[in-house]
Amino acid sequence: MNYVDVWGGVLSSLRKTLPSHALSAWFEPVDPIGFSGDKILLEVPNQFFAEWIESHYDKELRAALRSNSDKGTNYRFIISDKEPTPLNPPESNTGLTTAPLHKNNINKQYRFENFIEGSNNEFAKNAAISVANNPGKNGFNPLIIYGGVGLGKTHLMHAIGNEAIHKNPDLNVVIITSEKFTLDFVNSLRKNKTIEFAQQYRKADILLIDDIQFFRGKEQTQEQFFHTFNVLYQSGKQIVMTADKYPGEMKGLQTRLLSRFQSGLSVDIQPPNFEVRVAILLEKAEQNGLSLDYDVVEFIARHIKENVRDLEGTIIRILAKSSLMNIEIDHDLVRQVVQERTGGRLNNDISMEDIIKQVSISSSVPEKEIVGSSRKMEISKARQISMYLCREIMGASLNNIGMYFGGRDHTTVMHAVKCIKEKNEKEEEIKTFIMSVKQDLGYAFS
């Protein structure tokens, strides 16, 4: 079965298990665009669609795929970059000159101006700006932007296209994913139109191609891309690619392709640090008209660390839950969403050392005294609070806590935990101190 037939069968199966409003709202706008290995590629209007289907209908979707496809139950969402068609296109006899229509899928929202810069991506952004200003003329050809999922590679690639067209509207900018390139090539083989396919891409002034790692194992596609690359490169046209790894570490690609890739400039993007994550969250919240307290933003930034897409998805999920469930955005809601996105666990990277260090800072008691043997009241209090937090936040065993605190017996730790727990419920000073330490550790709202 082809992908269109498979998706038709999936919709028929979903009609039997889902209410009609769910089907029309979330599945009818989805367009199947092909297969990639054992995955069906599904184009959705935006990231919110992908988030919502994955979190609410993953089980039903996989069951429907199992019933209708022999390729497995895997799926992959492709976010649509299609610009909405204007309701009132300009008349041709107005006498006004207009820029040529660029037939590509450049996302107008991805610009250099709204790309949050930090030490993790500064070099990559500067290289991208240089290419956009002087495509094919600065020696950065090809430019390969590589790094993990959701770090902003695609944003920079689209920003190059937007900036280049802004400076020169006559440029023919072609932007595509490697999967779409493969599908177009396969279709051209089926319809005996490989010459038209080649011409379509070789007329580009700037070719922007996303996720080149998906060329792995596709020999004919690699062959076609190799010749396209050569034609563009020898004509002084700019080529920009994104990848998950440095070209020298890629496997499954032809040696001569990798050699071409390494002849240009490769720049990496690392996961954003804490300050950059905060800036991204503030920007995304503002874009979505969402007002969040700064301590809420810090809380999210301390727990959602891996990539920008997860940060954006968290903001979207908070907004969606608030509006669709008609509830206020408060600390409980934010904590719930963050726990969902981190697999139900928070602060799994906090160590006993981190806790002791923070208690030391907040109480002005040296760390070595907290784990030492002194029985002075202020030191003993800081030690008991540290033991209590190690137990509550980390879930560490009494024995492990005792060993870390100078080889103390587990009964000593048990007494400390019980003592501080009672004081935390009755004494405002202790309660405030513990909450302050938790906030500094990124464990607020508990």
Side-chain angles (χ1 to χ4, degrees):
M1 295 178 71
N2 63 39
Y3 62 89
V4 176
D5 292 335
V6 168
W7 187 244
V10 167
L11 290 178
S12 296
S13 297
L14 290 173
R15 286 191 185 96
K16 301 173 184 177
T17 59
L18 297 179
S20 59
H21 66 84
L23 195 75
S24 61
W26 300 109
F27 288 95
E28 288 181 1
V30 174
D31 288 325
I33 60 174
F35 288 114
S36 178
D38 65 344
K39 296 184 180 70
I40 185 170
L41 304 178
L42 303 173
E43 187 176 69
V44 291
N46 51 52
Q47 184 69 27
F48 177 71
F49 256 77
E51 292 274 341
W52 189 265
I53 293 174
E54 282 182 342
S55 61
H56 290 79
Y57 302 114
D58 176 76
K59 182 179 178 181
E60 291 82 358
L61 178 54
R62 288 184 182 278
L65 283 169
R66 191 180 305 116
S67 301
N68 293 280
S69 173
D70 57 2
K71 288 182 175 288
T73 62
N74 292 325
Y75 59 91
R76 173 183 167 88
F77 287 124
I78 304 294
I79 308 303
S80 174
D81 291 327
K82 294 174 183 174
E83 290 291 315
T85 303
L87 295 177
N88 297 300
E91 297 294 334
S92 59
N93 60 354
T94 58
L96 297 176
T97 57
T98 58
L101 175 64
H102 294 272
K103 295 183 178 180
N104 53 47
N105 292 326
I106 294 180
N107 189 327
K108 299 296 188 285
Q109 295 180 351
Y110 287 154
R111 307 184 311 277
F112 290 124
E113 292 82 359
N114 61 12
F115 183 83
I116 305 298
E117 183 179 326
S119 58
N120 61 307
N121 58 31
E122 182 180 13
F123 182 42
K125 181 182 178 182
N126 288 339
I129 291 173
S130 177
V131 163
N133 289 335
N134 297 287
K137 299 176 182 178
N138 55 15
F140 302 159
N141 197 17
L143 173 67
I144 299 181
I145 306 169
Y146 69 94
V149 174
L151 295 179
K153 303 185 300 295
T154 301
H155 186 139
L156 278 183
M157 191 178 72
H158 283 261
I160 290 171
N162 281 317
E163 183 67 15
I165 290 173
H166 175 73
K167 290 185 176 298
N168 184 358
D170 293 326
L171 285 176
N172 181 24
V173 178
V174 176
I175 188 164
I176 196 165
T177 66
S178 62
E179 291 171 321
K180 187 65 166 60
F181 183 93
T182 301
L183 288 170
D184 285 353
F185 176 55
V186 171
N187 285 332
S188 75
L189 289 174
R190 286 175 50 226
K191 298 176 182 179
N192 199 26
K193 292 186 176 181
T194 53
I195 295 176
E196 290 88 339
F197 167 83
Q199 290 175 342
Q200 175 185 352
Y201 288 101
R202 296 175 191 182
K203 288 179 181 178
D205 294 310
I206 302 178
L207 176 63
L208 306 161
I209 186 158
D210 212 3
D211 291 328
I212 56 173
Q213 69 271 10
F214 291 119
F215 282 152
R216 292 187 190 112
K218 300 169 183 173
E219 292 299 322
Q220 280 190 281
T221 303
Q222 290 184 42
E223 183 79 16
Q224 187 64 225
F225 185 67
F226 174 77
H227 294 301
T228 298
F229 183 104
N230 280 345
V231 169
L232 293 175
Y233 184 81
Q234 290 166 7
S235 303
K237 308 302 184 182
Q238 180 68 51
I239 304 162
V240 179
M241 297 173 278
T242 71
D244 62 347
K245 291 183 178 68
Y246 175 69
E249 298 174 355
M250 290 183 186
K251 298 186 183 302
L253 295 182
Q254 296 175 0
T255 302
R256 59 180 183 170
L257 258 186
L258 293 177
S259 176
R260 294 290 192 277
F261 294 168
Q262 293 181 78
S263 67
L265 175 66
S266 296
V267 293
D268 71 326
I269 300 182
Q270 297 293 326
N273 60 30
F274 176 73
E275 290 76 14
V276 174
R277 296 198 300 273
V278 168
I280 290 169
L281 286 166
L282 290 172
E283 174 73 15
K284 296 304 175 184
E286 182 179 337
Q287 288 176 5
N288 287 277
L290 188 59
S291 178
L292 295 176
D293 293 338
Y294 188 75
D295 63 333
V296 170
V297 173
E298 279 203 339
F299 177 77
I300 298 170
R302 288 187 186 280
H303 295 285
I304 308 296
K305 302 179 179 181
E306 295 305 315
N307 62 59
V308 177
R309 197 170 297 157
D310 279 350
L311 294 170
E312 295 174 341
T314 301
I315 293 295
I316 291 172
R317 185 72 63 88
I318 290 170
L319 189 61
K321 280 211 164 189
S322 172
S323 60
L324 296 176
M325 298 174 68
N326 196 26
I327 56 178
E328 292 291 327
I329 296 176
D330 56 15
H331 291 173
D332 288 337
L333 175 61
V334 172
R335 184 180 180 85
Q336 182 186 85
V337 170
V338 171
Q339 282 185 304
E340 288 173 358
R341 298 192 68 81
T342 55
R345 298 184 64 188
L346 298 178
N347 300 286
N348 54 3
D349 58 346
I350 290 179
S351 65
M352 292 190 202
E353 181 183 5
D354 294 330
I355 291 171
I356 292 168
K357 183 178 293 185
Q358 193 55 56
V359 171
S360 172
I361 293 170
S362 300
S363 65
S364 299
V365 175
E367 292 177 52
K368 64 179 181 179
E369 296 287 2
I370 292 177
V371 297
S373 58
S374 174
R375 295 190 177 184
K376 288 183 180 180
M377 185 172 66
E378 67 273 15
I379 296 175
S380 180
K381 180 180 175 182
R383 183 182 303 126
Q384 288 187 329
I385 290 174
S386 298
M387 290 178 173
Y388 168 80
L389 290 173
C390 287
R391 181 70 169 168
E392 184 186 2
I393 293 177
M394 297 178 60
S397 69
L398 299 175
N399 283 330
N400 284 346
I401 295 172
M403 288 295 293
Y404 198 89
F405 283 77
R408 287 176 165 81
D409 188 83
H410 77 280
T411 56
T412 303
V413 179
M414 185 187 298
H415 171 74
V417 171
K418 182 180 179 182
C419 178
I420 297 301
K421 183 177 181 181
E422 291 174 353
K423 288 183 178 181
N424 189 39
E425 293 171 354
K426 298 176 182 178
E427 299 180 19
E428 194 62 34
E429 181 184 353
I430 292 289
K431 184 177 181 179
T432 301
F433 180 85
I434 288 175
M435 179 55 71
S436 174
V437 172
K438 285 181 177 180
Q439 287 177 335
D440 290 332
L441 287 167
Y443 199 79
F445 316 150
S446 62

